[in-house]
Every structure is written in structure tokens, then in C-alpha cells.
Amino acid sequence: MKKGGNMARTKVVPSNSWRFKGNELKYIKEVLDSGFGSSKYGTMNARFERAFADRFGVKYAITSTSGTSTLHQALIAFGVGPGDEVIVPALTVIMCGYAVLYTGAKPVFVDVDPETFLMDPKDVERKITRRTRAIMPVHLYGQVCDMDAIMRIARRHKLYVLEDCAQCYLGTDHKGRIGGTIGHVGSFSFENTKHVSTGDGGILITDDKVLAERMRKFGCFGFKTVKAEGGQARGKVVKDNFQNPKWLRHDTFGFSFRMPETSAAIGLAQVEKINYLVKKRQQIAAKYLKAIKDTGCDWLIPQKVPVGYVNTYYTLAVRYEGETKLNVSWYDFRKKFMELGGDGIYAAWALVYDEPVMRLISEEGRYFKDLKPQAPTLKGFLEGVRCSQAERLQPKLMQFTANQGIEADMDLQINALKKTINHFQRSGLKN
Ligand SMILES: *Cc1c(COP(=O)(O)O)cnc(C)c1O
């Protein structure tokens, strides 16, 4: 190809592949060379689980197919089922609500704090009933929720706590506790946008042996030989016993949530450099924050990080107040930012209870409009739901990307942000 000419004007598209330049290929090759069997080191899943558990300082780690199946597994291990309620923030991805519905229980949505954007413990307290079985704090955008308050409430009401850490790898609270190690179970997603990725996948961590065994068995067809520590469906049973027509395999119910060995291979390589993966996001977030400060911009209000907390910045989330302060719409700000070289700014997901599917289930007990009700017992679960802080906040949220691997890509975003801010501050003054 000829140099110069049009090339100079071609927009540089940052590649995301910088995240996978460690031992990923080497470990995948080990899996393939072993014919997907156990290598001499033990299976990749077992190695990945051990490495993950060690990094988080917990006894058990259990791989899974996604950060949604992990939530499902944890809730089942808590004993959650029809007639129960699980407390979930209104502002999060829909999967948090789905996981509760999978068990036949009802998600009860609680409000968020307008400064931290995270689950508001005071509203949790208000929404506890006789039927509440668990609380699901979601450490949104990379920041741990107010776990002191949430654990206090949980202890008082004897509730389980499931921390959704899909967006928060190694984030800590003011006591230095890592998100996912404070409640009964921590759940992580390896979907491609997260800090750590295997393409798709998930993992659960816990110190509780009973919960670990239940979660693992539920994710692996309920093989009776599956234990908390893991291993294979066959467990320690000698082959001669196993290959017997009288051998009974399944003593509990379960799904097929096993992570492929090739994904576990990627996961193992990713855990080896997890600090680096997290650092990169914190690095660009610090640059965004500095740009907002240096430009004297008081209409982009970043997610508040309480004293002593460490935010790991899945994205930099800000509350956009330019609509009232500058009379510039959310959409126009985004458009200008992109014109000036910025990535797309992501809008926050609609509140979970505002998604049409939630209304369909609540109003009609249906999964599909053109099929008979398949979830009749879930009817009415949205009755009276209202989270006013989340409703006010959601349309204002902007999520800036934080997955840049090199400084030049980061600075492209930072420069675009500075220019956009300056553009609107200047034109704002003229008004
Ligand atoms: C991504 C995500 C999930 C779902 O994870 P999948 O692996 O995509 O199923 C759950 N909760 C939160 C907060 C997430 O960001």
C-alpha cells in the first residue's frame, strides 16, 4: 500500500487486542495439545479457579459461562425460589433482574444514591419484607457499594448478600476490603467489555464450602461427584465403578454452565496480569478527571468516590448537567465529542423495571407476546415500583470508555473531551 495520501486522514481505530498479549495463546495451545483433556497441570478450569481465588484471597472460585449464570447459581445456592424476594438496584443491567426471575423469585428494585450512583442502603431497609431472602449490591462502574451498611442490614434480617462485581475487579472499600469478598458470594463476568475477559464467561468466589458445592453442582448438571473444590464430573470415582450400568450420577438439579477449557486458558493468562488490566482503566479515568477539573467544568459530575475507596473504573461515569447549566442536550454533547475525535459516549441502560420485557412478565406473565403465559406466578411483581433518584439520574448519565491500552489512544479521548468542554463553555458564555 502507498504511504501518505489518504492514509494520513484515516481515523485511527484503537484496537482492543492489547488486552490479550500475555500467555493466552500459550495456554490455549496447551489445551488443544492435550486434546481438551487434563494436562499434566490439571485442567485449565482448575488452574484458572485456583489463580483467581488466590488473587482475591478466598477459598473457592467456580467458573461459569457468564456473569448472569453466576448470579443464577448463587441465588439457587442461597435457596431462593418462588415466593421469595431479592433486592436489586433499579439502575443496573437487566441481567440482575433476570437472574432473580430465573429462580421464580421476584426482584424488588431499590433506589440509588445520586452521588455514587450505587444501591442506597436506606431504600434497601425500607423495602425488606417477610419474603426477602437476599440483597444483590451491584458495584457499578468499578466502585464498591456501601457494604458496611448493606451487611449490617443483612445480618439484622438474616439475609444473604450476593455482590455483582461484573464491573468491579479488585475495587476496595474504605477498609481495604475487595468487592466480592465482603458478602456471602461475589460474582464476576468475563464478557468482552469487562476488565478481565475470556470473550464470554463468569466466575463465583466464596469462603463458604456449602455454597461453593451447591453453586458448582447447579452449574454442572448436579453430578453427585462434584464438590466445592471442583474437579471433574467424575470426581474421584474410579473408572471401574463409574462404568457400571447401575451407577447413578445425579443427586441434585443443575444447568450446563461449564466454562470451555479454551476460555479458562485465556482467563488464566488474564489473571496473571489482572493488576495491569485494572491499572489501565484507572489511568485513563484519572486523565478524564483531570481534564474535567482543569477546564473548570462544573456540569460533568463524576461518580463520587467516598474517602478511602478505590474505584477501578470499568468506565468513567458522570452525571451530565449541561442540559440545565448550558442548555446543551445530552445528545448534542455526545455528537460534538465524537466530531472532535471522541469514542461514543455510552448512555446508561434504561432502569431495569422500565424495559418492556419486565412489563410483559409483570402484566401478563409472558416471556413472548405471542405465546401462552410461561411465568404466571411472576405476575404483578412490578406493582408500585418507583425509584425517583434513579429515574432522575438515568437520563443524565454518560459513560466514557476506559479500555484504551496505550497512552496515545487515551490522550485522543482526553483531548476530545477538553475540546468539547471548551467548545460549550465558550458558547455558553455568549448566551
Ligand atoms: C456484564 C454484566 C453482567 C452480565 O454478565 P454477562 O457475562 O454478560 O452475562 C451482570 N451484571 C453486571 C453489572 C454487568 O455489567
Side-chain angles (χ1 to χ4, degrees), residues 136-291:
M136 189 194 299
V138 181
H139 305 327
L140 226 48
Y141 305 124
Q143 183 166 303
V144 176
C145 296
D146 182 354
M147 291 304 292
D148 261 350
I150 291 167
M151 294 308 292
R152 218 177 302 126
I153 295 166
R155 270 193 299 275
R156 194 168 338 120
H157 297 274
K158 296 193 168 58
L159 305 173
Y160 281 108
V161 175
L162 166 57
E163 295 174 75
D164 184 345
C165 313
Q167 301 186 4
C168 184
Y169 281 82
L170 298 172
T172 53
D173 72 356
H174 60 300
K175 293 178 173 168
R177 296 178 299 181
I178 299 176
T181 68
I182 308 166
H184 298 87
V185 172
S187 164
F188 296 79
S189 162
F190 302 126
E191 182 270 326
N192 194 32
T193 66
K194 317 296 188 196
H195 292 79
V196 175
S197 180
T198 61
D200 264 310
I203 204 164
L204 290 151
I205 59 173
T206 186
D207 276 329
D208 187 312
K209 187 171 185 173
V210 173
L211 292 177
E213 180 166 319
R214 286 188 200 140
M215 293 191 292
R216 195 184 285 286
K217 288 184 72 154
F218 187 70
C220 190
F221 310 106
F223 274 108
K224 72 179 177 190
T225 45
V226 168
K227 300 292 176 208
E229 293 79 10
Q232 299 141 292
R234 260 183 230 110
K236 299 222 183 313
V237 181
V238 289
K239 218 172 173 175
D240 276 348
N241 291 346
F242 195 75
Q243 295 311 337
N244 178 329
K246 290 205 177 102
W247 178 250
L248 299 174
R249 289 164 178 78
H250 307 276
D251 62 350
T252 59
F253 188 58
F255 276 62
S256 173
F257 290 154
R258 288 173 308 180
M259 173 178 278
E261 284 282 279
T262 41
S263 300
I266 299 172
L268 178 61
Q270 292 264 291
V271 182
E272 290 174 348
K273 58 187 176 196
I274 190 167
N275 291 4
Y276 164 80
L277 293 168
V278 171
K279 266 265 140 41
K280 287 285 184 192
R281 303 217 181 210
Q282 290 171 322
Q283 192 185 347
I284 185 167
K287 284 171 180 272
Y288 281 129
L289 292 171
K290 185 168 183 303

Side-chain angles (χ1 to χ4, degrees), residues 30-31 34 36-44 47 261:
E30 274 183 37
V31 171
S34 76
F36 278 95
S38 317
S39 74
K40 61 186 165 178
Y41 306 104
T43 68
M44 250 338 141
R47 288 167 67 187
E261 284 282 279

Side-chain angles (χ1 to χ4, degrees), residues 21-34:
K21 305 280 191 208
N23 284 325
E24 283 85 352
L25 272 180
K26 179 179 159 220
Y27 293 151
I28 289 175
K29 187 169 184 308
E30 274 183 37
V31 171
L32 298 180
D33 287 347
S34 76

Side-chain angles (χ1 to χ4, degrees), residues 65-69 71 92-93 95-96 138 140 164 166-167 189-191 194 200-201 314 349:
T65 47
S66 76
T68 305
S69 41
L71 298 174
T92 181
V93 296
M95 299 79 169
C96 300
V138 181
L140 226 48
D164 184 345
Q167 301 186 4
S189 162
F190 302 126
E191 182 270 326
K194 317 296 188 196
D200 264 310
Y314 168 64
W349 327 270

